[in-house]
Amino acid sequence: MKQITILIADDDEEIADLVAMHLEKEGYRIIKAADGRAAVQAVQSHSIDLAILDVMMPKLDGLEATRLIREQARMPIIFLSAKTSDMDKITGLVIGADDYMTKPFNPMELVARVKAQLRRSMQLSQPAAEASSVIELAGLTIDPDKRSVARYGQPIELTPKEFDILYLLASHPNKVFSADHLFRQLWGEAYYEGGNTVMVHIRTLRKKLGEDKDKWIKTIWGVGYTFNA
């Protein structure tokens, strides 16, 4: 079985060593980078299964590094940051991160989130039992094999999690999914602080889809979200 490789990019050597120690105990292979540029180079040079990036790094910060990484790879990315505001978290998620943890953090919680992201990533990479169907609804074309979305024929760039949310909702038009259900199914972990995470992804997804915010994804207040067929 292929050993899973995790990239840890942080200019704080003590934090990088602490994270590496806990992940190595779980059997993961670790590659370290001390700045954002080295992180991008590591993704280009190695087969990385998951990346843990500090937001504030020299040469390239975590946000810019993620933009460059997303141009060539779709592995899960977890941000570590001393920035705790909701806007900082939203920015990280919009850029393309799959999860965001604030410093100081519990190393065991980080390990749990790494495992959850890897489980989800591996499920998506498994070949389907039968060919996936392209969804064409309300002016949107959603191709699960290519993981592409077009609005009235014009491509839309979505992050992996935004695509997952849209595809799940569009696969069950008019069915209402609670934030709890979406978080457990798409993040594969217990529902802690999941409401804000789902809300942020729904918000950015709506912005990218454009037009009226409820045209495709409608909020059923107090219940959850549904796709308007």
Side-chain angles (χ1 to χ4, degrees):
M1 179 182 293
K2 172 183 175 290
Q3 187 177 25
I4 292 174
T5 299
I6 296 177
L7 169 65
I8 301 172
D10 198 313
D11 60 322
D12 188 322
E13 188 174 351
E14 290 187 3
I15 290 179
D17 288 344
L18 176 66
V19 173
M21 178 186 69
H22 283 275
L23 291 174
E24 286 172 339
K25 286 182 180 178
E26 300 296 324
Y28 301 124
R29 173 176 175 249
I30 302 301
I31 293 175
K32 296 180 188 176
D35 59 70
R37 187 173 300 163
V40 175
Q41 292 171 346
V43 171
Q44 294 170 340
S45 305
H46 303 275
S47 177
I48 306 294
D49 297 291
L50 181 142
I52 300 172
L53 306 182
D54 183 29
V55 172
M56 299 177 66
M57 292 188 290
K59 298 186 179 178
L60 284 178
D61 63 24
L63 299 177
E64 185 60 29
T66 296
R67 286 193 186 97
L68 295 175
I69 289 172
R70 279 286 176 247
E71 291 177 359
Q72 56 193 304
R74 302 191 68 85
M75 88 286 283
I77 295 176
I78 299 176
F79 274 160
L80 296 180
S81 178
K83 296 183 176 182
T84 60
S85 74
D86 287 342
M87 184 54 62
D88 290 321
K89 294 179 181 179
I90 290 170
T91 300
L93 294 171
V94 169
I95 290 298
D98 297 281
D99 205 348
Y100 190 111
M101 288 191 70
T102 56
K103 299 178 180 179
F105 59 90
N106 183 328
M108 296 311 298
E109 180 181 344
L110 176 58
V111 171
R113 294 196 182 201
V114 165
K115 290 181 176 180
Q117 291 295 337
L118 288 170
R119 281 197 303 270
R120 178 63 187 160
S121 178
M122 289 176 182
Q123 287 171 359
L124 290 173
S125 66
Q126 293 298 318
E130 56 185 39
S132 301
S133 299
V134 174
I135 296 175
E136 295 184 352
L137 283 174
L140 293 181
T141 302
I142 308 169
D143 188 329
D145 293 327
K146 296 179 180 177
R147 292 184 67 81
S148 64
V149 177
R151 181 189 60 220
Y152 303 123
Q154 296 300 313
I156 302 173
E157 292 295 328
L158 301 182
T159 67
K161 278 296 186 291
E162 289 166 356
F163 180 89
D164 293 342
I165 291 172
L166 179 61
Y167 184 70
L168 178 60
L169 293 176
S171 297
H172 304 82
N174 299 318
K175 176 180 178 179
V176 179
F177 288 84
S178 68
D180 186 349
H181 186 144
L182 289 171
F183 191 78
R184 289 179 182 274
Q185 182 156 343
L186 299 180
W187 274 261
E189 58 185 284
Y191 186 68
Y192 53 91
E193 297 185 0
N196 285 337
T197 301
V198 171
M199 181 181 67
V200 166
H201 280 79
I202 292 286
R203 183 187 306 163
T204 58
L205 177 55
R206 280 172 166 160
K207 287 181 179 179
K208 291 181 180 181
L209 292 177
E211 297 192 14
D212 180 73
K213 70 182 181 67
D214 287 334
K215 177 176 176 63
W216 289 286
I217 299 175
K218 183 178 181 180
T219 299
I220 308 299
W221 293 107
V223 183
Y225 304 94
T226 186
F227 186 91
N228 279 328

